[in-house]
Amino acid sequence: MALLDPAQLDAMASGRPELLLPIVSDFETHGREQLSNLHAALTQGRLEDGKSILHQLKGASGTMGMIRFEELCRECEEQVTAGRVPPRFAELGPLLLESVAGAGAHLRGEAS
């Protein structure tokens, strides 16, 4: 699966990628915070909180065309909904960073 959906990123940018770049950067900051909150929720057995966090991350990443991160969030959300700690939880942080870097590069017109 591709890391990004360039068409979705372009649609979000509406011809003004410089306006979307700060939003992508904010998503990284917020995403890191949310992943920390997710870790705490899963560690403390607060699965409903974990499910909510994953659902929010899934939606936001999908809106910005970060399709691989969106899919991993979906997979983890399904597992939390089933009452399990996702075995691929540790992959979320690195994939978030890779997705944000890729989206930023695309919006700046850099070769991928």
Side-chain angles (χ1 to χ4, degrees), residues 1-111:
M1 171 185 292
L3 180 65
L4 304 171
D5 178 352
Q8 179 65 26
L9 268 169
D10 293 341
M12 284 294 298
S14 299
R16 305 282 308 271
E18 69 279 3
L19 297 180
L20 189 56
L21 278 165
I23 294 168
V24 169
S25 179
D26 286 347
F27 178 69
E28 178 183 349
T29 302
H30 181 70
R32 285 176 183 230
E33 292 170 3
Q34 287 295 80
L35 289 177
S36 178
N37 293 338
L38 175 61
H39 182 267
L42 295 177
T43 300
Q44 296 166 7
R46 295 182 288 116
L47 297 182
E48 279 302 313
D49 291 346
K51 179 180 159 188
S52 176
I53 292 166
L54 285 162
H55 186 77
Q56 292 170 26
L57 287 170
K58 177 184 73 179
S61 59
T63 298
M64 289 188 283
M66 299 177 187
I67 56 177
R68 195 178 313 154
F69 185 73
E70 175 191 19
E71 183 54 37
L72 184 55
C73 287
R74 178 184 330 282
E75 177 184 315
C76 291
E77 180 184 13
E78 289 170 359
Q79 291 163 344
V80 169
T81 299
R84 298 188 316 269
V85 173
R88 296 181 63 198
F89 170 78
E91 296 175 40
L92 287 166
L95 187 53
L96 169 68
L97 299 180
E98 182 183 1
S99 299
V100 167
H106 177 80
L107 291 168
R108 288 187 299 273
E110 298 168 1

